[in-house]
Amino acid sequence: MYSSIDLDKININAAPPAEEPARQYYFMAKCRQHVREESARLGRPLGAAVVNFGCQMNARDAEKLQGILEAIGYETANEDEADFVIYNTCTVRENANLRVYGRLGQLGKRKRKNPDMIIGLCGCMMQEPEVIDKIRKSFRFVDLVFGTHNIYKFAELMASRIESGDMVIDIWKDTDAIVEDLPSKRKYPFKSGVNIMFGCNNFCSYCIVPYVRGRERSRSPEDIIREIEALTADGVAEVMLLGQNVNSYGKTLKEPVTFAQLLGKIEKIEGLKRIRFMTSHPKDLSDELIEVMAGSKKICRHLHLPVQSGSSRILQKMNRRYTKEQYLALVGRLRDKMPDISLTTDIIVGFPGETEEDFQETMDLVRKVRYDSAFTFLYSRRTGTPAAAMEDQVPENVMKERFDRLLSEVQAIAAEVCSIHEGHIAEVLVENVNEQDAGLVTGRMSNNILVHFPGDAGLIGKLIMVRLTEAKGFYYMGEAV
Ligand code: SAH
Ligand code: SF4
Ligand code: F3S
């Protein structure tokens, strides 16, 4: 494992090894040499900032980038002071892209004053050819560009930029490779994301993710268990298993394993207290999984179950492969086995061809399910997806007006649903000292709701029984019992 590798023992004058991850450790050692020389020249340590956009998958990737930067010898710095800045981008909706271009413009101004600065771009947006064209043309000051498939080559690409002094662009269309055992720097000491699979094969008609993250591939159960065992030994109490569609985990492995079976193995890891996962696709959520969840002591009582629309007609055009009725039946089965389960969702408003009647179906579904919370999105047209070419794109004003109606319905219901636990005693995993009031700590219940209660930093990472004294809409005030 990484912690046992001493970069100083690697001979950087020899040729690079061909096998992974040894090859990357060789390039880390090379980059480290450069960082040492630079900081001796400047008389100060070098700083790096990883700026993350997008989902939990990207957040986990950012920790890997951070781990490599640390191994190379960079200290963590703020974006506006860093010698090395890397944007890990998202392209799921257009406004995610626009934010990146805006911030990149600002960064370019800083680089004009500090020419030694290194600017990197990676992540989902870089998998789009039009984006690469635009960077080549309009953002010439960028040093390093790579995508989602070769992120493990970060050190190698950086070494090549340092040697050549030219812009390095390396984008792969897809990959089967999963490189294990590279460094990673966790954001929280007590919880961690763990990738169980990469990519997506679902091709929902609005979604760009399958094009930028490639085909679905699962890590082996042994590698996953090994990683979680190492994390628990290092103080992690809670893991979040990550995949675009965790319910289809293991189908493509040589010896297929179901997601429910994987959960069964993870449950047995001693010292691990809580298991979360996301995202679940409703079409693949099995009764086997419901049974495992219901019988588990560690799997949290929370399920993020994106519905996207309440209209079966729109769901079909979205290629979601379930109907409103099937989704509601699934929610019924879940609540039947776990009456206290918290349900959250994602909803897209204004998919092409959505009529007021379709939208009313979504409102009706939201009233029937009564979500603990819901992320609502305005449909965003993504080039290359089937939905982008569909007729009847919904006008922006109509979309926005529906969005506002949905949001207020969702929020009103969530406030009611979240307050039903008042007076109960719940187990809370303490995450941090409260930002506004240093006499309080903040933690999460199994159902993901936040609780603030009197305590100090010594409680961070511990599971504490807390009486929920007062519901405050989306969070609780409490006291340890
Ligand atoms: N794999 C996950 C979600 C990935 S993207 C799943 O299937 O649920 C996260 C959310 O972004 C999606 O659930 C969807 O609600 C939203 N989203 C994806 N593409 C979008 C688009 N083109 N416009 C608006 N929202 C979109
Ligand atoms: Fe996108 Fe659908 Fe795959 Fe989720 S399941 S990432 S929404 S294509
Ligand atoms: Fe965005 Fe890529 Fe995640 S497009 S939502 S960062 S998989």
Side-chain angles (χ1 to χ4, degrees):
M1 287 248 18
Y2 163 64
S3 53
S4 58
I5 292 172
D6 182 354
L7 290 186
D8 283 332
K9 293 223 170 85
I10 296 174
N11 177 5
I12 53 173
N13 298 312
E19 72 281 7
E20 299 292 1
R23 188 177 171 85
Q24 297 313 313
Y25 284 103
Y26 167 90
F27 285 109
M28 278 178 231
K30 265 203 141 166
C31 293
R32 183 147 93 171
Q33 177 70 21
H34 169 81
V35 169
R36 279 184 183 152
E37 285 166 13
E38 272 297 288
S39 61
R41 185 175 70 83
L42 296 167
R44 60 168 177 82
L46 296 191
V50 180
V51 182
N52 197 49
F53 300 85
C55 64
Q56 303 262 2
M57 293 277 192
N58 258 25
R60 182 72 185 123
D61 286 346
E63 293 184 342
K64 295 177 183 169
L65 296 171
Q66 193 85 50
I68 293 173
L69 286 165
E70 193 168 89
I72 290 174
Y74 280 100
E75 294 195 344
T76 304
N78 285 332
E79 185 186 348
D80 42 350
E81 290 163 0
D83 302 284
F84 187 109
V85 178
I86 182 156
Y87 285 175
N88 188 23
T89 61
C90 169
T91 187
V92 76
R93 287 169 289 274
E94 194 184 6
N95 53 11
N97 292 36
L98 298 177
R99 285 215 329 264
V100 168
Y101 288 134
R103 283 177 76 155
L104 203 50
Q106 295 297 316
L107 210 54
K109 284 191 197 141
R110 237 190 85 209
K111 188 165 176 181
R112 255 177 261 146
K113 287 190 216 129
N114 309 287
D116 288 336
M117 206 181 142
I118 303 182
I119 299 177
L121 293 173
C122 65
C124 296
M125 215 176 131
M126 301 306 126
Q127 294 293 139
E128 293 182 274
E130 316 85 79
V131 171
I132 300 299
D133 288 346
K134 187 166 169 138
I135 291 165
R136 279 189 208 275
K137 276 199 209 100
S138 317
F139 299 96
R140 297 281 324 151
F141 56 83
V142 172
D143 298 282
L144 186 61
V145 183
F146 54 97
T148 54
H149 301 302
N150 53 350
I151 188 164
Y152 72 88
K153 280 181 67 190
F154 179 36
E156 181 169 352
L157 297 171
M158 201 158 134
S160 132
R161 162 66 186 74
I162 291 167
E163 251 164 44
S164 71
D166 294 331
M167 190 192 239
V168 171
I169 300 186
D170 190 18
I171 307 292
W172 296 4
K173 278 216 158 57
D174 205 346
T175 184
D176 298 328
I178 299 177
V179 178
E180 299 284 344
D181 293 339
L182 283 167
S184 127
K185 168 127 190 269
R186 290 202 310 277
K187 195 169 168 194
Y188 304 96
F190 52 87
K191 66 172 179 178
S192 180
V194 173
N195 297 110
I196 62 165
M197 57 203 300
F198 301 92
C200 181
N201 285 353
N202 285 316
F203 292 95
C204 302
S205 64
Y206 51 82
C207 184
I208 200 163
V209 171
Y211 305 90
V212 296
R213 286 271 173 179
R215 293 295 61 73
E216 187 178 296
R217 52 213 182 274
S218 297
R219 285 177 76 195
S220 76
E222 296 76 30
D223 285 336
I224 296 169
I225 303 284
R226 203 160 53 95
E227 181 176 349
I228 301 177
E229 281 172 349
L231 288 168
T232 21
D234 195 32
V236 165
E238 177 179 305
V239 290
M240 166 80 90
L241 310 175
L242 298 171
Q244 293 299 350
N245 176 11
V246 291
N247 298 330
S248 68
Y249 169 80
K251 286 186 181 158
T252 53
L253 287 171
K254 265 197 216 106
E255 289 168 40
V257 176
T258 65
F259 180 53
Q261 288 166 338
L262 177 72
L263 283 170
K265 290 178 203 271
I266 297 176
E267 174 99 16
K268 294 200 187 94
I269 297 177
E270 227 170 282
L272 182 68
K273 304 274 172 37
R274 279 182 171 178
I275 306 167
R276 299 184 186 277
F277 51 84
M278 76 183 312
T279 302
S280 291
H281 195 304
K283 79 173 164 58
D284 295 317
L285 202 152
S286 64
D287 288 337
E288 184 197 11
L289 176 64
I290 300 177
E291 285 297 332
V292 168
M293 280 184 86
S296 165
K297 295 207 166 55
K298 296 186 180 174
I299 302 174
C300 288
R301 284 289 196 258
H302 169 220
L303 194 63
H304 186 62
L305 197 59
V307 67
Q308 314 298 1
S309 169
S311 152
S312 296
R313 195 181 73 85
I314 294 293
L315 284 169
Q316 194 188 7
K317 288 179 70 183
M318 286 177 161
N319 193 28
R320 289 292 288 182
R321 287 171 277 177
Y322 53 83
T323 61
K324 178 188 187 189
E325 291 68 32
Q326 284 166 332
Y327 184 93
L328 287 171
L330 175 60
V331 167
R333 288 203 296 284
L334 283 160
R335 290 215 165 117
D336 189 35
K337 293 276 190 270
M338 293 170 278
D340 58 343
I341 196 168
S342 143
L343 292 175
T344 58
T345 201
D346 293 343
I347 302 169
I348 297 175
V349 177
F351 182 85
E354 183 190 79
T355 62
E356 178 60 26
E357 290 69 42
D358 293 317
F359 176 70
Q360 284 306 330
E361 293 283 342
T362 299
M363 293 287 268
D364 178 59
L365 178 127
V366 159
R367 288 180 196 121
K368 287 200 165 101
V369 177
R370 297 180 61 75
Y371 292 104
D372 284 68
S373 86
F375 296 100
T376 49
F377 302 108
L378 288 167
Y379 167 72
S380 174
R381 200 171 178 172
R382 307 313 289 132
T383 314
T385 61
M390 287 180 188
E391 287 170 7
D392 305 327
Q393 300 279 328
V394 177
E396 188 132 338
N397 58 335
V398 175
M399 218 182 330
K400 286 202 168 130
E401 187 273 330
R402 284 180 196 161
F403 181 89
D404 291 344
R405 273 190 281 156
L406 177 64
L407 187 65
S408 54
E409 188 71 31
V410 158
Q411 286 180 339
I413 294 171
E416 284 174 28
V417 174
C418 291
S419 38
I420 59 172
H421 311 284
E422 198 171 73
H424 296 186
I425 292 174
E427 196 178 51
V428 173
L429 177 65
V430 180
E431 300 205 338
N432 49 273
V433 173
N434 189 292
E435 279 162 22
Q436 273 96 46
D437 182 345
L440 298 177
V441 289
T442 301
R444 268 173 215 278
M445 301 200 268
S446 169
N447 62 17
N448 216 29
I449 297 177
L450 285 175
V451 183
H452 310 288
F453 65 97
D456 57 41
L459 296 179
I460 293 175
K462 299 214 164 89
L463 283 165
I464 308 287
M465 298 308 285
V466 177
R467 186 183 307 280
L468 307 170
T469 47
E470 196 185 355
K472 293 273 198 182
F474 301 104
Y475 65 92
Y476 281 92
M477 301 308 292
E479 52 198 35
V481 292

PDB file of all heavy atoms in Angstrom, residues 441-454:
ATOM      1  N   VAL A 441     -21.472  21.184  18.767  1.00  0.00           N
ATOM      2  CA  VAL A 441     -20.930  20.364  17.687  1.00  0.00           C
ATOM      3  C   VAL A 441     -22.067  19.988  16.739  1.00  0.00           C
ATOM      4  O   VAL A 441     -23.247  20.038  17.116  1.00  0.00           O
ATOM      5  CB  VAL A 441     -20.234  19.080  18.199  1.00  0.00           C
ATOM      6  CG1 VAL A 441     -18.931  19.404  18.891  1.00  0.00           C
ATOM      7  CG2 VAL A 441     -21.158  18.274  19.108  1.00  0.00           C
ATOM      8  N   THR A 442     -21.681  19.617  15.507  1.00  0.00           N
ATOM      9  CA  THR A 442     -22.675  19.268  14.501  1.00  0.00           C
ATOM     10  C   THR A 442     -22.411  17.846  14.024  1.00  0.00           C
ATOM     11  O   THR A 442     -21.256  17.480  13.788  1.00  0.00           O
ATOM     12  CB  THR A 442     -22.569  20.242  13.308  1.00  0.00           C
ATOM     13  OG1 THR A 442     -22.790  21.561  13.806  1.00  0.00           O
ATOM     14  CG2 THR A 442     -23.591  19.938  12.235  1.00  0.00           C
ATOM     15  N   GLY A 443     -23.476  17.081  13.917  1.00  0.00           N
ATOM     16  CA  GLY A 443     -23.325  15.707  13.425  1.00  0.00           C
ATOM     17  C   GLY A 443     -24.522  15.301  12.594  1.00  0.00           C
ATOM     18  O   GLY A 443     -25.458  16.086  12.399  1.00  0.00           O
ATOM     19  N   ARG A 444     -24.477  14.086  12.096  1.00  0.00           N
ATOM     20  CA  ARG A 444     -25.561  13.579  11.263  1.00  0.00           C
ATOM     21  C   ARG A 444     -26.194  12.342  11.880  1.00  0.00           C
ATOM     22  O   ARG A 444     -25.495  11.473  12.384  1.00  0.00           O
ATOM     23  CB  ARG A 444     -25.026  13.153   9.903  1.00  0.00           C
ATOM     24  CG  ARG A 444     -25.078  14.228   8.881  1.00  0.00           C
ATOM     25  CD  ARG A 444     -24.383  13.791   7.605  1.00  0.00           C
ATOM     26  NE  ARG A 444     -23.729  14.943   7.038  1.00  0.00           N
ATOM     27  CZ  ARG A 444     -24.352  15.849   6.295  1.00  0.00           C
ATOM     28  NH1 ARG A 444     -25.635  15.705   5.995  1.00  0.00           N
ATOM     29  NH2 ARG A 444     -23.707  16.898   5.838  1.00  0.00           N
ATOM     30  N   MET A 445     -27.522  12.302  11.733  1.00  0.00           N
ATOM     31  CA  MET A 445     -28.229  11.079  12.114  1.00  0.00           C
ATOM     32  C   MET A 445     -28.068  10.088  10.960  1.00  0.00           C
ATOM     33  O   MET A 445     -27.658  10.450   9.862  1.00  0.00           O
ATOM     34  CB  MET A 445     -29.709  11.376  12.312  1.00  0.00           C
ATOM     35  CG  MET A 445     -29.993  12.420  13.373  1.00  0.00           C
ATOM     36  SD  MET A 445     -31.692  12.273  13.937  1.00  0.00           S
ATOM     37  CE  MET A 445     -32.565  13.389  12.891  1.00  0.00           C
ATOM     38  N   SER A 446     -28.462   8.840  11.226  1.00  0.00           N
ATOM     39  CA  SER A 446     -28.417   7.809  10.203  1.00  0.00           C
ATOM     40  C   SER A 446     -29.174   8.249   8.947  1.00  0.00           C
ATOM     41  O   SER A 446     -28.766   7.976   7.827  1.00  0.00           O
ATOM     42  CB  SER A 446     -29.035   6.540  10.797  1.00  0.00           C
ATOM     43  OG  SER A 446     -29.260   5.582   9.819  1.00  0.00           O
ATOM     44  N   ASN A 447     -30.280   8.988   9.138  1.00  0.00           N
ATOM     45  CA  ASN A 447     -31.084   9.419   7.988  1.00  0.00           C
ATOM     46  C   ASN A 447     -30.524  10.660   7.308  1.00  0.00           C
ATOM     47  O   ASN A 447     -31.191  11.260   6.473  1.00  0.00           O
ATOM     48  CB  ASN A 447     -32.538   9.639   8.410  1.00  0.00           C
ATOM     49  CG  ASN A 447     -32.667  10.727   9.454  1.00  0.00           C
ATOM     50  OD1 ASN A 447     -31.741  11.533   9.650  1.00  0.00           O
ATOM     51  ND2 ASN A 447     -33.789  10.769  10.144  1.00  0.00           N
ATOM     52  N   ASN A 448     -29.326  11.076   7.686  1.00  0.00           N
ATOM     53  CA  ASN A 448     -28.587  12.169   7.049  1.00  0.00           C
ATOM     54  C   ASN A 448     -28.985  13.567   7.535  1.00  0.00           C
ATOM     55  O   ASN A 448     -28.419  14.554   7.088  1.00  0.00           O
ATOM     56  CB  ASN A 448     -28.714  12.085   5.512  1.00  0.00           C
ATOM     57  CG  ASN A 448     -27.445  12.513   4.810  1.00  0.00           C
ATOM     58  OD1 ASN A 448     -26.348  12.354   5.364  1.00  0.00           O
ATOM     59  ND2 ASN A 448     -27.565  13.084   3.632  1.00  0.00           N
ATOM     60  N   ILE A 449     -29.951  13.674   8.432  1.00  0.00           N
ATOM     61  CA  ILE A 449     -30.354  15.000   8.936  1.00  0.00           C
ATOM     62  C   ILE A 449     -29.315  15.493   9.954  1.00  0.00           C
ATOM     63  O   ILE A 449     -28.795  14.723  10.757  1.00  0.00           O
ATOM     64  CB  ILE A 449     -31.766  14.947   9.570  1.00  0.00           C
ATOM     65  CG1 ILE A 449     -32.793  14.568   8.484  1.00  0.00           C
ATOM     66  CG2 ILE A 449     -32.140  16.286  10.208  1.00  0.00           C
ATOM     67  CD1 ILE A 449     -34.207  14.422   8.989  1.00  0.00           C
ATOM     68  N   LEU A 450     -29.033  16.820   9.896  1.00  0.00           N
ATOM     69  CA  LEU A 450     -28.025  17.412  10.787  1.00  0.00           C
ATOM     70  C   LEU A 450     -28.602  17.709  12.168  1.00  0.00           C
ATOM     71  O   LEU A 450     -29.763  18.099  12.303  1.00  0.00           O
ATOM     72  CB  LEU A 450     -27.511  18.730  10.196  1.00  0.00           C
ATOM     73  CG  LEU A 450     -26.550  18.622   9.006  1.00  0.00           C
ATOM     74  CD1 LEU A 450     -26.233  20.005   8.466  1.00  0.00           C
ATOM     75  CD2 LEU A 450     -25.268  17.890   9.388  1.00  0.00           C
ATOM     76  N   VAL A 451     -27.758  17.549  13.188  1.00  0.00           N
ATOM     77  CA  VAL A 451     -28.140  17.847  14.567  1.00  0.00           C
ATOM     78  C   VAL A 451     -27.027  18.672  15.216  1.00  0.00           C
ATOM     79  O   VAL A 451     -25.849  18.334  15.088  1.00  0.00           O
ATOM     80  CB  VAL A 451     -28.308  16.555  15.399  1.00  0.00           C
ATOM     81  CG1 VAL A 451     -28.789  16.874  16.813  1.00  0.00           C
ATOM     82  CG2 VAL A 451     -29.257  15.584  14.718  1.00  0.00           C
ATOM     83  N   HIS A 452     -27.399  19.775  15.886  1.00  0.00           N
ATOM     84  CA  HIS A 452     -26.428  20.571  16.642  1.00  0.00           C
ATOM     85  C   HIS A 452     -26.688  20.355  18.123  1.00  0.00           C
ATOM     86  O   HIS A 452     -27.848  20.409  18.556  1.00  0.00           O
ATOM     87  CB  HIS A 452     -26.577  22.069  16.334  1.00  0.00           C
ATOM     88  CG  HIS A 452     -26.595  22.376  14.862  1.00  0.00           C
ATOM     89  ND1 HIS A 452     -25.482  22.296  14.082  1.00  0.00           N
ATOM     90  CD2 HIS A 452     -27.603  22.747  14.038  1.00  0.00           C
ATOM     91  CE1 HIS A 452     -25.799  22.616  12.839  1.00  0.00           C
ATOM     92  NE2 HIS A 452     -27.083  22.886  12.783  1.00  0.00           N
ATOM     93  N   PHE A 453     -25.632  20.124  18.907  1.00  0.00           N
ATOM     94  CA  PHE A 453     -25.826  19.952  20.347  1.00  0.00           C
ATOM     95  C   PHE A 453     -24.550  20.348  21.097  1.00  0.00           C
ATOM     96  O   PHE A 453     -23.455  20.358  20.519  1.00  0.00           O
ATOM     97  CB  PHE A 453     -26.264  18.516  20.679  1.00  0.00           C
ATOM     98  CG  PHE A 453     -25.239  17.459  20.381  1.00  0.00           C
ATOM     99  CD1 PHE A 453     -24.403  16.972  21.387  1.00  0.00           C
ATOM    100  CD2 PHE A 453     -25.088  16.931  19.110  1.00  0.00           C
ATOM    101  CE1 PHE A 453     -23.450  15.989  21.125  1.00  0.00           C
ATOM    102  CE2 PHE A 453     -24.139  15.950  18.836  1.00  0.00           C
ATOM    103  CZ  PHE A 453     -23.325  15.480  19.837  1.00  0.00           C
ATOM    104  N   PRO A 454     -24.667  20.693  22.394  1.00  0.00           N
ATOM    105  CA  PRO A 454     -23.499  21.131  23.143  1.00  0.00           C
ATOM    106  C   PRO A 454     -22.429  20.044  23.206  1.00  0.00           C
ATOM    107  O   PRO A 454     -22.751  18.869  23.433  1.00  0.00           O
ATOM    108  CB  PRO A 454     -24.051  21.413  24.554  1.00  0.00           C
ATOM    109  CG  PRO A 454     -25.505  21.657  24.337  1.00  0.00           C
ATOM    110  CD  PRO A 454     -25.907  20.764  23.199  1.00  0.00           C
TER     111      PRO A 454
END
